[in-house]
Amino acid sequence: MGRNKIILGCQWGDEGKGKIVDLLAEKADITARFQGGANAGHTICVGDKKYILHLIPSGIIHPGKECVIGNGVVLDPFAFKEELDFLASQGIDYKDRLWVSPAANLVLPYHKLIDAVDEKNRGTEGLGTTKRGIGPAYVDKVARDGIRVADMFAPDRLKKRLEYQHKLKGKYLTGSDDERADLDRTYHELLKLAEIFKPLVVDISIFLSQAFKDGKSILFEGAQGSLLDVDLGTYPFATSSNTTIGGALTGLGVSHKMIDEVVGVVKAYTTRVGAGPFPTELVDDIGEQLRHHGDEYGASTGRPRRCGWLDLVVLRNSVRINGVDSIAITKLDVLDQLDEINVCTGYRLNGKEMTEVPLDLAELSHVKPTYTTLKGWKTDTTGTTEFASLPKNAQDYLNYIAKDLGVRICLVSTGAKRSETIFVST
Ligand code: GDP
Ligand code: IMO
Ligand code: MG
């Protein structure tokens, strides 16, 4: 096991990354978020308490551990303030252990307005975004028109850059009575928020590099999942950041040499929120059963998640792109009631067999999955903590996945709580 691990979702998000990061953060010194924004919803259950974090790294729940938000994250300062207040209300002290990059781009109210208008304009071709302003904020970043955390501390520059937004985004802002279009209001609110941000701002690249030299361990926390990557996912039905391994390097300003082990998080079946192709989707009673037993409703938006069988074609893709060393399989317990479980091992299209995700989305939308059927275990596995105590059919299911992917299983999650976990020793 390496010192520094990166946790990456291997499907379409919501794999249970929050729980895994929380578990591993106990042994790390620093947890680092590198991409995405408040579109993420990472759930952590500690005893009877449930925390849902959107921007702040999941390591924050552990007293004394440091957390950083890198330049690759698009930071909604209002959502961030709400999250800080939430932590304070829970008695979680984040002072002197939460740091933010001055180079992170801000998600501002007008980005959310634009996100909503763009989605409406797409009509039936909508992406099903979280409407958190993520796409429009990354558009500004890449166009070099973005406003960054550092700009909050330079009022004249901030005002100028905000005023320029009027020119750029007139078609969305001019004449709108939506308060999110009011840039003057945004300007004054940002100046107030700047006071809260000031003590948290640190050059994260230098901070992590020094921590690495000092022998501290770093846990990298991915958001979303590989199939939502803007370059390598099911574009355009994707998010706007690099959710795969490269995003960690550019989103924090760290070297690949700082990552020792890539841990892929794999839900024991598949879910997806929002639009886009999903070859193994179940629109029948079994799909409904998975949603019900897995409580598959979005942690950020509350939307019902689409559910389907495990897809090895998707997972092979994620293992290859990210160089996954080991996998953490979550939500095994959700499959407990099933008589039989299907695993997708390939796709068929026009009589042709496929073992990889086709890049052409039109093809992916029309493939028919090929399934191998495994026997269910019909036993309650909730809270199991030893691999050997799992029913034989559950062990077979897990081993089947690991063998196909050519990776080892480092962890199996059998419930939402910390204690409901099997740590698989090597
Ligand atoms: P993330 O975005 O990858 O962090 O995942 P989410 O928090 O959006 O969704 C995962 C959901 O599954 C959360 O409600 C977790 O509390 C829950 N969860 C995580 N692991 C398990 C598990 O092993 N079993 C069950 N039943 N629930 C789990
Ligand atoms: P976590 O970190 C699941 C999805 C949205 C939509 C698409 C684009 O909790 O796994 P966006 O608002 O990013 O422009 O939406 O991406 N999406 C997620 N789906 N989990 C997430 O995050 C997601 N973040 C974005 O549903 O389909
Ligand atoms: Mg989530």
Side-chain angles (χ1 to χ4, degrees):
M1 278 256 185
R3 186 177 65 168
N4 296 338
K5 297 185 181 66
I6 181 164
I7 311 302
L8 295 171
C10 288
Q11 292 148 319
W12 278 281
D14 301 327
E15 295 89 351
K17 299 174 292 294
K19 166 171 170 169
I20 308 302
V21 171
D22 169 65
L23 283 172
L24 301 181
E26 195 187 354
K27 293 213 174 79
D29 295 302
I30 302 165
T31 306
R33 258 291 292 274
F34 50 86
Q35 46 68 233
N39 50 349
H42 296 176
T43 314
I44 299 153
C45 296
V46 184
D48 293 333
K49 280 201 172 169
K50 184 167 162 175
Y51 306 93
I52 299 178
L53 298 172
H54 304 283
L55 284 163
I56 297 177
S58 302
I60 202 77
I61 309 299
H62 293 277
K65 301 289 181 181
E66 290 190 280
C67 290
V68 304
I69 297 178
N71 57 277
V73 171
V74 282
L75 192 69
D76 177 338
F78 300 90
F80 182 68
K81 160 85 168 56
E82 255 177 50
E83 218 161 300
L84 291 180
D85 291 346
F86 168 72
L87 290 178
S89 76
Q90 301 299 306
I92 296 170
D93 184 6
Y94 56 82
K95 285 216 181 68
D96 299 325
R97 64 187 189 96
L98 174 62
W99 314 111
V100 174
S101 167
N105 274 252
L106 297 176
V107 178
L108 294 172
Y110 54 84
H111 290 125
K112 292 200 225 174
L113 173 64
I114 294 169
D115 198 351
V117 172
D118 284 351
E119 269 294 272
K120 198 162 165 229
N121 288 341
R122 287 182 192 116
T124 53
E125 309 286 300
L127 308 178
T129 75
T130 59
K131 299 207 176 76
R132 299 294 194 267
I134 304 299
Y138 276 117
V139 165
D140 277 0
K141 167 181 166 170
V142 175
R144 291 144 298 164
D145 290 317
I147 296 178
R148 311 213 288 188
V149 167
D151 296 320
M152 293 171 78
F153 314 118
D156 291 345
R157 189 170 79 216
L158 177 64
K159 198 168 184 75
K160 243 195 195 152
R161 290 190 75 81
L162 271 171
E163 277 167 3
Y164 184 57
Q165 296 299 320
H166 258 305
K167 265 200 203 139
L168 290 176
K169 301 185 170 73
K171 73 167 176 164
Y172 298 98
L173 306 181
T174 308
S176 171
D177 56 7
D178 190 309
E179 67 179 30
R180 294 175 296 184
D182 184 344
L183 300 191
D184 198 45
R185 179 192 168 104
T186 298
Y187 172 70
H188 289 289
E189 285 179 340
L190 280 178
L191 290 187
K192 274 190 251 159
L193 286 172
E195 294 306 307
I196 297 168
F197 271 75
K198 205 151 204 171
L200 311 180
V201 174
V202 163
D203 184 323
I204 298 299
S205 169
I206 295 173
F207 177 90
L208 289 178
S209 161
Q210 190 56 50
F212 183 66
K213 283 183 196 146
D214 293 344
K216 290 189 179 168
S217 61
I218 303 157
L219 180 65
F220 300 90
E221 176 177 9
Q224 289 83 48
S226 295
L227 276 292
L228 288 172
D229 187 284
V230 67
D231 285 293
L232 303 161
T234 48
Y235 186 94
F237 299 100
T239 190
S240 300
S241 65
N242 285 119
T243 60
T244 48
I245 187 115
L249 311 185
T250 54
L252 289 161
V254 296
S255 156
H256 68 284
K257 291 176 184 157
M258 279 167 67
I259 301 175
D260 300 306
E261 184 177 348
V262 182
V263 178
V265 186
V266 174
K267 196 181 281 192
Y269 46 99
T270 313
T271 61
R272 159 159 222 180
V273 209
F278 180 176
T280 62
E281 183 170 13
L282 290 165
V283 285
D284 57 6
D285 286 352
I286 299 181
E288 194 48 56
Q289 217 175 310
L290 291 175
R291 179 156 39 251
H292 176 69
H293 292 301
D295 195 18
E296 294 295 356
Y297 296 90
S300 277
T301 60
R303 291 179 291 174
R305 295 174 180 152
R306 300 157 65 193
C307 299
W309 296 119
L310 188 87
D311 186 340
L312 287 172
V313 184
V314 156
L315 294 176
R316 281 176 211 140
N317 188 73
S318 303
V319 166
R320 171 169 45 80
I321 288 169
N322 296 307
V324 168
D325 295 300
S326 64
I327 51 175
I329 301 185
T330 61
K331 304 192 93 160
L332 183 72
D333 54 294
V334 176
L335 302 179
D336 285 349
Q337 280 90 357
L338 298 174
D339 295 319
E340 289 184 328
I341 301 168
N342 282 343
V343 179
C344 169
T345 53
Y347 299 148
R348 243 175 310 114
L349 183 68
N350 304 326
K352 212 177 83 193
E353 299 288 330
M354 299 169 139
T355 52
E356 296 287 349
V357 180
L359 283 179
D360 182 345
L361 211 67
E363 285 193 7
L364 185 63
S365 310
H366 290 103
V367 297
K368 295 271 172 286
T370 312
Y371 288 117
T372 294
T373 303
L374 282 85
K375 283 205 181 85
W377 44 93
K378 307 279 284 176
T379 310
D380 185 3
T381 63
T382 311
T384 305
T385 55
E386 297 289 336
F387 196 88
S389 309
L390 285 172
K392 161 106 181 25
N393 290 354
Q395 293 188 25
D396 288 349
Y397 182 67
L398 297 170
N399 288 331
Y400 184 85
I401 298 167
K403 187 166 178 227
D404 183 277
L405 299 177
V407 294
R408 67 186 175 80
I409 298 171
C410 60
L411 187 155
V412 181
S413 176
T414 56
K417 293 184 185 157
R418 281 175 174 168
S419 58
E420 295 171 328
T421 307
I422 300 169
F423 289 96
V424 183
S425 51
T426 48

